[in-house]
């Protein structure tokens, strides 16, 4: 409905159905068109009904897409106009396809039809969100490239996610009799309202991220968190060296100093990586890290940190 909202249309969201409520198959089943029907006349009737139901839902889709556009415009300070968002932003291009595909899925359209729609957008945008994924209104994706969301994920209202985010499965239960993976089980995260997930974070398994929570960048999360929670990655020890010091370290790595001694004494030492307070002058041949280079030691330090926190 129209209203005074800074010159933009204002919509009454109360009439929108609950996006998590089951609809689909129920509608098709109620019409008496079961999934395995092969009669051409019955298939034609079923297809016609799906199309007619979809036409009835187009006003709802229009509102949802309008709210997606508005969310991008409000969140991204680089957006100068609504027209720019509609024409240039890959997230909006993708959501046009995903929301249409999701409605078709709910109406019982064949999976290959819905997947074709999202894969067209996937190819052009680098966003991979399954057509079965339920997404609330005012959905914001920033930069978008590399976003992956699994089929049974549920995303609430006013959720923001950034590039490289994965909402994936942690494990696939096996059928005890056949040994095959059991399909169609809820295996992806539930993201409640007003959640923000920053770049390259991975949320895995059927976990729930409580409303108003923030998941920091590069976080690997496989457990539920309560509402209004912030999840951050622990501190990582970094060393910043000059070009000259880096050259000396590379030189020391290429030309390790030979030491006389017994065979056992000449064996490579396995040592813990240096701490951040280690002196920068340890790059000569006598250093524990001379054989592998300072950059390798820093990498080992990162691995040690990850091992102790996962």
């Amino acid at each position: 409905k129209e209203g005074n909202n800074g010159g933009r249309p204002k919509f009454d969201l109360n009439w929108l159905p609950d996006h998590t409520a089951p609809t689909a198959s129920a509608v098709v089943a109620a019409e008496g068109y079961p999934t395995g029907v092969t009669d051409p006349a019955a298939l034609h009737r079923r297809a016609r009904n799906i199309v007619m139901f979809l036409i009835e839902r187009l006003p709802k889709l229009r509102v949802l897409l309008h709210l997606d556009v508005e969310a991008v415009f409000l969140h991204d300070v680089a957006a100068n106009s609504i027209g720019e968002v509609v024409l240039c932003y890959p997230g909006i291009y993708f959501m046009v396809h995903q929301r249409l595909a999701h409605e078709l899925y709910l109406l019982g359209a064949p999976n290959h039809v819905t997947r074709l729609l999202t894969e067209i957008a996937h190819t052009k945008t680098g966003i991979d969100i399954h057509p079965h994924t339920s997404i609330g209104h005012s959905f914001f994706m920033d930069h978008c490239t590399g976003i992956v969301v699994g089929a049974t994920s549920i995303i609430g209202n006013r959720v923001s996610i950034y590039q490289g985010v994965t909402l994936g499965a942690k494990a696939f239960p096996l059928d005890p009799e056949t040994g095959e993976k059991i399909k169609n089980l809820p295996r992806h995260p539930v993201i409640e309202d007003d959640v923000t997930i920053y770049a390259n974070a991975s949320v895995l398994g059927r976990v729930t991220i409580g409303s108003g929570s923030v998941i920091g960048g590069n976080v690997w999360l496989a457990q539920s968190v309560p509402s209004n929670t912030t999840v951050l990655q622990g501190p990582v020890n970094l060393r910043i060296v000059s070009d000259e010091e880096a050259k000396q370290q590379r030189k020391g790595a290429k030309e390790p100093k030979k030491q006389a001694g017994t065979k056992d004494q000449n064996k490579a030492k396995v040592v813990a990586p240096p701490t951040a307070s280690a002196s920068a002058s340890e790059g000569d041949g006598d250093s524990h890290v001379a054989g592998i280079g300072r950059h390798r030691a820093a990498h080992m330090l990162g691995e040690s940190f990850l091992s102790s926190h996962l």
Side-chain angles (χ1 to χ4, degrees):
K1 65 180 181 180
E2 300 297 330
N4 185 11
N5 188 29
R8 299 187 300 274
K10 184 177 181 180
F11 296 100
D12 180 6
L13 302 182
N14 293 326
W15 66 273
L16 283 176
D18 181 2
H19 67 281
T20 63
T23 49
S25 347
V27 172
V28 176
E31 292 298 314
Y33 305 120
T35 48
V37 64
T38 56
D39 177 60
L43 289 173
H44 178 77
R45 289 194 303 271
R46 182 182 179 190
R48 184 179 184 280
N49 276 272
I50 289 174
V51 172
M52 296 305 296
F53 281 127
L54 179 64
I55 291 173
E56 291 178 1
R57 294 183 182 213
L58 289 181
K60 170 198 169 184
L61 286 177
R62 179 180 181 274
V63 172
L64 290 173
L65 291 169
H66 179 99
L67 293 171
D68 291 340
V69 169
E70 190 171 71
V72 173
F73 184 72
L74 294 176
H75 282 83
D76 190 353
V77 296
N80 294 310
S81 69
I82 292 293
E84 178 186 358
V85 172
V86 172
L87 295 174
C88 304
Y89 277 62
I92 297 302
Y93 179 86
F94 184 88
M95 288 310 297
V96 170
H97 291 73
Q98 199 279 341
R99 290 201 183 278
L100 179 60
H102 185 68
E103 291 299 323
L104 286 170
Y105 155 69
L106 293 178
L107 292 171
N111 284 338
H112 61 271
V113 174
T114 59
R115 287 299 296 270
L116 277 172
L117 281 170
T118 54
E119 288 305 317
I120 289 171
H122 179 195
T123 302
K124 292 190 175 183
T125 64
I127 305 168
D128 185 5
I129 302 179
H130 200 279
H132 295 188
T133 303
S134 176
I135 303 175
H137 67 75
S138 305
F139 183 51
F140 171 57
M141 292 184 287
D142 198 12
H143 300 292
C144 300
T145 305
I147 291 174
V148 178
V149 179
T152 62
S153 298
I154 298 176
I155 298 176
N157 301 318
R158 298 175 301 278
V159 170
S160 300
I161 62 177
Y162 288 72
Q163 68 273 14
V165 165
T166 297
L167 304 181
K170 184 180 179 182
F172 300 92
L174 301 180
D175 188 309
E177 296 182 358
T178 65
E180 297 179 352
K181 294 177 181 178
I182 303 176
K183 296 186 177 183
N184 302 320
L185 290 178
R187 58 193 181 277
H188 299 104
V190 176
I191 310 299
E192 295 185 348
D193 297 347
D194 303 298
V195 169
T196 299
I197 307 177
Y198 284 104
N200 298 313
S202 295
V203 183
L204 304 180
R206 192 60 168 185
V207 299
T208 299
I209 307 302
S211 60
S213 294
V214 175
I215 310 300
N218 298 310
V219 165
W220 179 284
L221 186 62
Q223 66 185 63
S224 297
V225 297
S227 299
N228 303 310
T229 300
T230 298
V231 182
L232 300 174
Q233 186 184 32
V236 177
N237 293 321
L238 301 176
R239 298 190 69 233
I240 302 176
V241 299
S242 65
D243 289 346
E244 185 62 31
E245 184 179 358
K247 290 178 183 178
Q248 291 298 323
Q249 292 169 6
R250 289 194 293 270
K251 182 179 178 181
K254 292 179 180 179
E255 301 176 3
K257 183 177 179 180
K258 296 181 179 180
Q259 296 182 351
T262 65
K263 181 177 180 181
D264 290 340
Q265 290 174 332
N266 288 332
K267 286 183 178 178
K269 296 180 179 179
V270 179
V271 297
T275 63
S277 59
S279 169
S281 61
E282 292 177 350
D284 59 22
D286 292 330
S287 169
H288 289 316
V289 295
I292 57 176
R294 186 72 62 191
H295 64 288
R296 175 58 181 158
H299 181 67
M300 291 169 60
L301 184 62
E303 290 178 343
S304 174
F305 173 81
L306 290 174
S307 307
S308 63
H309 287 76
L310 290 179

